[in-house]
Amino acid sequence: MSATPQKNRATRRVLAAAAGLATVGALVAAMPAGAHDRGHGHGHKPRTVDVQLLSFNDLHGNLEPPAGSAGNVSETQPDGTVKAIPAGGVEYLATSLRTARKGNPYSVTAAGGDMVGASPLLSGLFHDEPTIEALNGLDLDVTAVGNHEFDEGAAELARLQNGGCHPVEGCYEKGKEFEGADFPYLAANVTKETTGRPLLKPYTVWKKSGVKIGFIGVTLEGTPDIVTANGVKGLKFHDEVETINKYARELDRKGVKSIVALIHEGGAPASTSYNYDCDSPGAGDGISGPIVDIAKGITPKVDALVTGHTHQAYVCTVPDPSGQPRMVTSASSFGKVYTDTTLTYDRRTKDIVRTSVKSANHVVTRDQARATDMTRLIDRWNKLAAPIASKPQGWISADINGRGSTAPEKPLGNVIADAQLEGLAPADKGGAEVAFMNPGGIRADLVHKASGSEGDGVVTYGEAFTVQPFTNMMNVVDLTGAQLVSALQQQVSGSNEASPKILQVSKGLTYTLDLTKSGADRVVADTIKLNGAAIDPARTYRVAMNEFLAGGGDGFAALGEGTNKLVGASDLDLFNAYLAAHSTAAAPLAPPATDRITVIQ
């Protein structure tokens, strides 16, 4: 899920969230004779030992259980119906992980990136220090960086790793300095332009009683396309497969034969249910997306792949270049799922017996005991956030779905785009005629049920912030009608062809999206109208959007061609102003109709 990156001013970081699938992928491949012989060959230790690998991804600073539909996990029942299970929150994630570790002397916990960034106010307001503190408490051993770890740039990422108080805002608690992450952040494919050297450690080796497992961490090569220019300044992002293969050879030369790759890139299973079997009918048949080709290219020296980025839950096997099945997992997002993988380690070969790798996703349910240390951590930071977080901004009459909506046009997307148009339409504010919002930048739903003591239907600053956590500055630019049409076509073509990114549009812009066609033709050009009039290719239009889109982010090169730029207020300020102007306790804002984009399936 690409998302609007963030202003350096309002830093966020994402916790790798655990996600979940319940498929057990048992791998079948040729095994050396006697490899499963757990006899005491030399009269002492057994030849093999089971190592438990617990993993999660895309936590995005969700310390408290995510609200509304964004906090549910889908589970397919034996009769084929799908049930929504409320999940997530670090109080429950900690309990789930600690329970899973019992009876497993060899247990290592790893994450697939986006632990921080695009975080709710509780973490985001404090530049994600609360999330790093929580991850330390969860005993995370290692994580890859995700794209959101770069939202505030390399210097802030280094601070999250090494500690020290924020360079502008200082220390948040009197007499306490932020200590940084107890676990290494791995960024094997991110190098500094000046030196060509890796920004952070490329790999780490986990050791226990003679057992050694190497972890290599990478983020997606396309990170610069989905993070603001400031966030990736001075950095180069390299091919995931080439990088992992290079460091796998290095680990192998050092005698580390058991290797796990942590990759912040993922795929899309054919079903969104965490317990869907994506190896049905054959290995990896039920999954698509970038991770499939990546998995097929990574050297057989790597024994398992922990992935992320797409916020999906899956446990699949995808054949490695030698044709052997290899486990590829992802654990949804926001700490709603975790993956439990058993790696059988052969003490003689120092390698994983791949034929016996087993893995399953588990839901982090909210009907288990809360971890008291996490409750204390949340309470402590909530007290600091409360004066800002609890301020009412407006009222709604029902849930207005954004993140939780699977439709191309989302009710909350319409509200956000309308807020941007209204705030920037006055001549002295930019003279905007139309506004565009990227769908990945909508991080939550607006939920009617109270999150605290504010009362049902009240939208607090904290809730509004959770929807729009990047504090992106708004831009109004000149674009020709032809460029506008190109931008709409780029939603479903080029880098967005395989998984379309449908822009949320302000009222007055209408068109037809024909999903039975392919590529740019899916946007039916002669249906595009603004306030009932066809778009004139030669005319200049004033278009509002956040600075991420105005920089051509998310594959929208045409939006990056704007001229005559005016910088306006932040997206969050405009969103809050709109809520205040359009709602009262007596007349709350209702979810808007979604009738701007006509979809033909």
Side-chain angles (χ1 to χ4, degrees):
M1 306 282 149
S2 69
T4 332
Q6 225 169 252
K7 279 315 279 174
N8 294 352
R9 198 181 61 244
T11 326
R12 332 272 170 257
R13 290 271 156 289
V14 173
L15 270 209
L21 263 179
T23 327
V24 174
L27 301 180
V28 189
M31 283 188 73
H36 256 330
D37 171 17
R38 294 177 184 252
H40 297 254
H42 301 290
H44 48 274
K45 287 179 178 169
R47 168 136 181 208
T48 60
V49 55
D50 281 348
V51 177
Q52 177 187 54
L53 170 62
L54 299 175
S55 57
F56 57 97
N57 50 279
D58 296 275
L59 182 58
H60 292 278
N62 279 262
L63 302 180
E64 295 176 294
S69 57
N72 292 336
V73 171
S74 298
E75 180 180 76
T76 301
Q77 305 302 302
D79 65 359
T81 58
V82 177
K83 179 179 167 188
I85 303 173
V90 293
E91 295 159 291
Y92 302 112
L93 178 59
T95 299
S96 286
L97 295 176
R98 288 163 188 171
T99 304
R101 287 176 191 137
K102 283 178 185 154
N104 288 287
Y106 295 87
S107 183
V108 56
T109 303
D114 277 7
M115 293 298 98
V116 296
S119 307
L121 187 86
L122 175 62
S123 186
L125 189 64
F126 306 106
H127 296 276
D128 282 312
E129 290 179 21
T131 293
I132 297 296
E133 205 179 280
L135 289 173
N136 289 343
L138 289 175
D139 293 321
L140 183 63
D141 289 296
V142 57
T143 183
V145 293
N147 51 291
H148 282 281
E149 264 81 13
F150 294 94
D151 283 349
E152 293 186 58
E156 174 63 7
L157 174 54
R159 186 182 78 87
L160 288 180
Q161 176 74 86
N162 302 320
C165 294
H166 193 268
V168 179
E169 294 175 26
C171 303
Y172 294 112
E173 294 176 287
K174 205 173 174 184
K176 279 182 85 167
E177 176 154 330
F178 173 58
E179 291 180 358
D182 290 347
F183 49 89
Y185 259 113
L186 304 181
N189 65 332
V190 186
T191 57
K192 297 177 192 170
E193 281 178 354
T194 47
T195 62
R197 298 173 73 97
L199 174 69
L200 297 167
K201 286 171 65 163
Y203 60 78
T204 191
V205 181
W206 178 83
K207 300 183 180 107
K208 178 154 187 189
S209 308
V211 173
K212 286 192 295 192
I213 298 179
F215 288 88
I216 303 168
V218 298
T219 186
L220 69 155
E221 187 182 5
T223 291
D225 304 329
I226 54 176
V227 171
T228 49
N230 277 344
V232 293
K233 207 171 174 179
L235 303 176
K236 282 188 94 155
F237 292 77
H238 303 272
D239 183 81
E240 304 94 341
V241 175
E242 288 172 21
T243 304
I244 291 168
N245 289 351
K246 169 182 154 182
Y247 287 111
R249 286 193 298 272
E250 191 171 308
L251 282 166
D252 188 60
R253 280 199 303 273
K254 290 182 169 180
V256 179
K257 308 292 183 187
S258 298
I259 302 172
V260 174
L262 307 175
I263 308 173
H264 191 70
E265 177 62 291
S271 160
T272 54
S273 289
Y274 85 94
N275 56 341
Y276 164 69
D277 179 4
C278 52
D279 280 351
S280 170
D285 283 351
I287 187 168
S288 59
I291 200 62
V292 178
D293 286 338
I294 290 172
K296 286 177 177 171
I298 289 173
T299 170
K301 291 183 197 307
V302 174
D303 299 296
L305 277 54
V306 170
T307 73
H309 188 55
T310 57
H311 290 206
Q312 303 295 311
Y314 48 83
V315 170
C316 300
T317 54
V318 177
D320 72 15
S322 70
Q324 299 300 335
R326 175 169 55 193
M327 198 58 79
V328 179
T329 68
S330 173
S332 178
S333 66
F334 300 173
K336 294 183 289 188
V337 176
Y338 72 95
T339 313
D340 188 338
T341 301
T342 303
L343 302 171
T344 301
Y345 181 91
D346 184 325
R347 290 181 186 277
R348 201 171 305 165
T349 63
K350 299 190 171 74
D351 206 348
I352 299 300
V353 183
R354 268 240 239 129
T355 45
S356 63
V357 174
K358 293 181 188 66
S359 192
N361 271 330
H362 302 280
V363 179
V364 177
T365 60
R366 298 184 198 164
D367 56 6
Q368 56 188 324
R370 298 182 208 194
T372 53
D373 57 329
M374 293 296 154
T375 305
R376 284 195 304 272
L377 181 149
I378 289 169
D379 289 347
R380 209 179 86 230
W381 288 103
N382 261 332
K383 279 195 186 77
L384 288 171
I388 295 171
S390 57
K391 279 187 187 151
Q393 302 297 313
W395 291 263
I396 56 174
S397 64
D399 287 3
I400 304 181
N401 282 349
R403 194 72 183 182
S405 165
T406 53
E409 181 185 348
K410 305 170 194 311
L412 190 51
N414 288 356
V415 173
I416 291 169
D418 287 353
Q420 294 176 353
L421 177 62
E422 184 169 296
L424 301 169
D428 62 333
K429 299 282 195 285
E433 300 168 81
V434 64
F436 291 131
M437 173 64 192
N438 55 312
I442 306 169
R443 303 305 298 187
D445 302 333
L446 276 186
V447 179
H448 184 262
K449 190 178 186 314
S451 59
S453 58
E454 76 276 10
D456 290 351
V458 178
V459 180
T460 64
Y461 184 87
E463 290 165 340
F465 181 99
T466 297
V467 169
Q468 295 252 272
F470 299 105
T471 323
N472 262 313
M473 302 316 287
M474 291 300 300
N475 290 181
V476 186
V477 298
D478 282 351
L479 287 170
T480 64
Q483 287 168 320
L484 270 187
V485 173
S486 291
L488 292 173
Q489 290 172 331
Q490 284 165 358
Q491 302 176 109
V492 289
S493 62
S495 61
N496 294 330
E497 178 151 13
S499 54
K501 290 196 173 81
I502 305 303
L503 293 165
Q504 307 298 290
V505 300
S506 55
K507 61 175 181 282
L509 187 79
T510 54
Y511 70 94
T512 297
L513 187 64
D514 186 347
L515 297 177
T516 65
K517 299 192 164 136
S518 61
D521 291 341
R522 292 171 181 162
V523 172
V524 185
D526 59 11
T527 64
I528 306 172
K529 291 180 177 160
L530 183 59
N531 302 321
I535 295 285
D536 176 354
R539 193 194 135 192
T540 296
Y541 294 84
R542 290 292 283 166
V543 185
M545 64 194 98
N546 59 48
E547 61 193 333
F548 170 65
L549 280 177
D554 266 355
F556 290 101
L559 296 181
E561 294 165 5
T563 56
N564 199 13
K565 177 167 80 174
L566 179 138
V567 178
S570 76
D571 51 8
L572 180 60
D573 286 348
L574 292 180
F575 184 49
N576 283 330
Y578 185 86
L579 290 171
H582 291 272
S583 68
T584 62
L589 182 70
T594 48
D595 53 7
R596 301 170 190 184
I597 306 171
T598 302
V599 182
I600 300 171
Q601 299 277 16

